[in-house]
Amino acid sequence: MPLINVIPGDKIPVAPMNVRLPAWRVPGWLLVFWWLARGLFRLTVLAVRYWWLTGPALLALWIRAEFGGLVLAGVVTTVAAGCVGWWRWHPVSWLRFGWYPLVARVRTLAVYRPRWASVMATCGLATVFGGDRYVPRLLRVQCDRWGDELTVRMLPGQIPDDWGQAAERLAYAFRQDTGQARSTDRPDRVVVRFMRRDPLAGTVAPLPVADVPDLGGLPLGVREDGEPYRLRLAGSHVLVAGATGAGKGSVLWSLIRSLAGGIRSGLVEVWAFDPKGGMELAAGVPLFARFAYDDADGMAGALDDAVKRMRMRAARLRGVTRQHVPTVEEPLLVLVIDELAALTAYITDRKVRDRIKESLGLLLSQGRAVGVHLVAALQDPRKDVLPFRDLFPTRIGLRLTEPEQVDMVLGDAARDRGALCDRIPETSPGVGFVVLDGVREPVRVRFAYLTDDDIRSLGRTYRRLDHAQEVTA
């Protein structure tokens, strides 16, 4: 036995303990049984999850075993005939409760589930913590005529804006055309919509004119889900921005058309300003109470008159009501300006320009409650051109030339939320995104297109009953 030299003051090393664990022998049949049980459990889970496949399959096998192939063929034929009859008798309910739910389940199984984890990882929406991978959970898929809506439970720490920034990448990953994310009433969930077909690909015809316009929802076009788009004018001002040929005229004339019934009856009074010499709005002169063009001093005077009317109306309504209700005696006053930048930035006379800016600031800040509304269109959304864009609660962005202009018009991070105004093709005039104050997600809309003949016919049919009109050249 070797000797160990111990130096005084040193610790004596302790020999490691050798522990021999008991050997457990597992019978081979138990391993096989465990493997089969695990496989059976997984099959049961899959059968319950995809009951809409396993249920009919088991029922078909049972009918085939009990009654034979002829009976099975008869049952299948009866079910198919019932579906066809349902489709022919009431196609709306068939599509809503029969066809689209089936399409959603098939697309969930064939398109989204197999690639979900990998797409989440490559798009930066999955994470790893403590060696474990965490993936957002796909809760539900809904389909309609135009696309798919995916309801997803987000991971802790995610917000809908994260999904809005990744929506375009998600659309390409799942081989869809476009993607957009929006929040829900539950803070842990987000809805991602993918478009398979574009309902806004075709031109929208002029919409019917109501005898009494609904100021809480004026029909102007079609949304991307195929439903009519209604703009709330009551208590709001509207800003329209778009490049040359983007379709600003479609927005203005659709709005004027939706007010035409009120114009004829006297409930609505429209003052039109066309600094480009009257080229855009002159066709609708019979609809306007005042029409100003070319003369900058005359347009400044008309805006001053609007401010005076606003203050007089505010004095009459003070202490009576907080919101103006249009009447023939006190009609709704709508100021339509075709090119706002021509009034705020391009006028060389500084005094006139300052008058116009002062009037516009007063109208935008005080006019909504007393029934004075401003609808303005412009091409250049720079801050020096439009210093009070935040006073427009409703903002519409048509096709824009640069990505930075989207946030200038619609607000910070609007492009990240899906308002891709710079991606709108030149072949789609009248397509744009609408943003409302207090609403995070933009709405994609195509506004109705009115030809020159439509505008002239509108002027003849719905011209003001009193033909008195002031025209400022």
Side-chain angles (χ1 to χ4, degrees):
M1 179 178 182
L3 298 177
I4 301 176
N5 295 325
V6 179
I7 302 175
D10 288 350
K11 293 183 179 180
I12 301 175
V14 179
M17 294 181 63
N18 295 325
V19 179
R20 177 174 294 180
L21 297 176
W24 294 89
R25 293 186 177 181
V26 180
W29 63 267
L30 186 60
L31 292 175
V32 174
F33 177 77
W34 176 81
W35 182 79
L36 292 176
R38 187 180 65 170
L40 182 61
F41 176 75
R42 290 182 176 180
L43 288 176
T44 304
V45 171
L46 291 176
V48 173
R49 174 180 292 181
Y50 302 107
W51 59 268
W52 51 278
L53 287 177
T54 57
L58 292 176
L59 181 61
L61 292 175
W62 178 76
I63 294 176
R64 176 68 175 82
E66 290 291 330
F67 304 101
L70 292 178
V71 175
L72 178 60
V75 171
V76 172
T77 303
T78 302
V79 172
C83 293
V84 173
W86 184 8
W87 169 61
R88 295 291 296 176
W89 174 67
H90 201 275
V92 176
S93 63
W94 156 250
L95 291 174
R96 180 178 179 182
F97 299 106
W99 177 248
Y100 288 138
L102 179 61
V103 172
R105 295 183 183 277
V106 172
R107 291 186 62 80
T108 302
L109 180 61
V111 178
Y112 297 111
R113 291 285 184 193
R115 307 177 56 198
W116 184 255
S118 61
V119 170
M120 292 298 103
T122 55
C123 292
L125 297 173
T127 187
V128 177
F129 178 76
D132 297 326
R133 185 175 65 170
Y134 295 89
V135 179
R137 184 179 178 184
L138 178 60
L139 299 178
R140 183 175 60 178
V141 176
Q142 292 179 297
C143 296
D144 55 28
R145 180 182 178 185
W146 311 109
D148 304 336
E149 282 193 354
L150 282 62
T151 303
V152 182
R153 179 175 294 160
M154 298 182 291
L155 295 178
Q158 291 182 344
I159 59 176
D161 284 353
D162 298 331
W163 288 77
Q165 295 175 7
E168 189 175 6
R169 295 193 296 271
L170 291 172
Y172 278 93
F174 287 116
R175 296 181 176 87
Q176 306 295 327
D177 291 338
T178 59
Q180 186 177 5
R182 70 173 188 270
S183 58
T184 65
D185 54 352
R186 297 189 56 171
D188 63 333
R189 298 185 180 184
V190 67
V191 174
V192 183
R193 180 169 180 83
F194 298 128
M195 300 298 298
R196 298 193 308 272
R197 299 171 55 194
D198 189 0
L200 309 183
T203 303
V204 179
L207 302 178
V209 179
D211 293 335
V212 179
D214 181 9
L215 301 178
L218 299 172
L220 300 188
V222 179
R223 301 185 312 190
E224 64 178 350
D225 58 0
E227 296 296 323
Y229 172 72
R230 297 182 178 274
L231 182 140
R232 183 177 181 272
L233 183 61
S236 183
H237 302 294
V238 182
L239 174 65
V240 185
T244 302
K248 295 185 293 296
S250 296
V251 183
L252 297 181
W253 283 116
S254 296
L255 180 61
I256 294 172
R257 180 179 176 87
S258 65
L259 296 171
I263 293 174
R264 181 171 60 181
S265 63
L267 290 176
V268 179
E269 191 172 309
V270 177
W271 293 11
F273 298 80
D274 193 348
K276 295 185 295 186
M279 294 296 296
E280 177 64 33
L281 301 178
V285 166
L287 301 169
F288 306 144
R290 297 187 69 167
F291 182 46
Y293 62 94
D294 266 352
D295 181 17
D297 188 66
M299 288 185 283
L303 290 174
D304 291 340
D305 292 342
V307 172
K308 293 178 183 178
R309 176 181 289 196
M310 177 190 69
R311 288 174 170 170
M312 294 174 58
R313 183 176 293 180
R316 288 192 296 269
L317 297 179
R318 187 180 301 116
V320 178
T321 181
R322 293 186 299 173
Q323 185 63 49
H324 170 262
V325 178
T327 62
V328 177
E329 293 75 18
E330 293 282 355
L332 187 82
L333 180 58
V334 181
L335 310 179
V336 179
I337 303 177
D338 179 45
E339 183 51 60
L340 187 60
L343 301 181
T344 60
Y346 303 154
I347 294 178
T348 57
D349 191 329
R350 183 175 180 179
K351 293 183 179 180
V352 174
R353 187 171 66 247
D354 291 341
R355 282 176 57 198
I356 291 176
K357 286 186 176 182
E358 181 181 0
S359 297
L360 290 175
L362 293 172
L363 292 169
L364 288 170
S365 59
Q366 304 175 21
R368 291 185 293 167
V370 296
V372 179
H373 303 278
L374 186 63
V375 180
L378 79 163
Q379 295 183 20
D380 190 352
R382 290 176 300 170
K383 188 70 175 178
D384 56 342
V385 174
L386 184 61
F388 28 69
R389 68 168 56 84
D390 294 335
L391 296 178
F392 287 90
T394 303
R395 281 163 283 183
I396 302 173
L398 302 173
R399 178 175 56 84
L400 297 171
T401 56
E402 299 175 0
E404 295 78 11
Q405 293 180 348
V406 179
D407 292 347
M408 291 182 185
V409 176
L410 302 181
D412 293 339
R415 192 178 187 278
D416 292 337
R417 298 189 187 108
L420 304 178
C421 299
D422 56 300
R423 299 283 186 88
I424 299 176
E426 295 184 5
T427 56
S428 300
V431 175
F433 293 87
V434 182
V435 171
L436 306 178
D437 274 355
V439 180
R440 294 171 55 85
E441 289 77 21
V443 179
R444 185 166 172 260
V445 179
R446 182 154 195 169
F447 295 91
Y449 172 69
L450 278 71
T451 64
D452 291 343
D453 292 338
D454 293 330
I455 297 172
R456 285 190 287 266
S457 176
L458 186 70
R460 291 192 299 267
T461 306
Y462 294 94
R463 63 186 306 144
R464 301 172 63 249
L465 294 180
D466 58 326
H467 301 295
Q469 181 184 78
E470 182 176 339
V471 178
T472 302

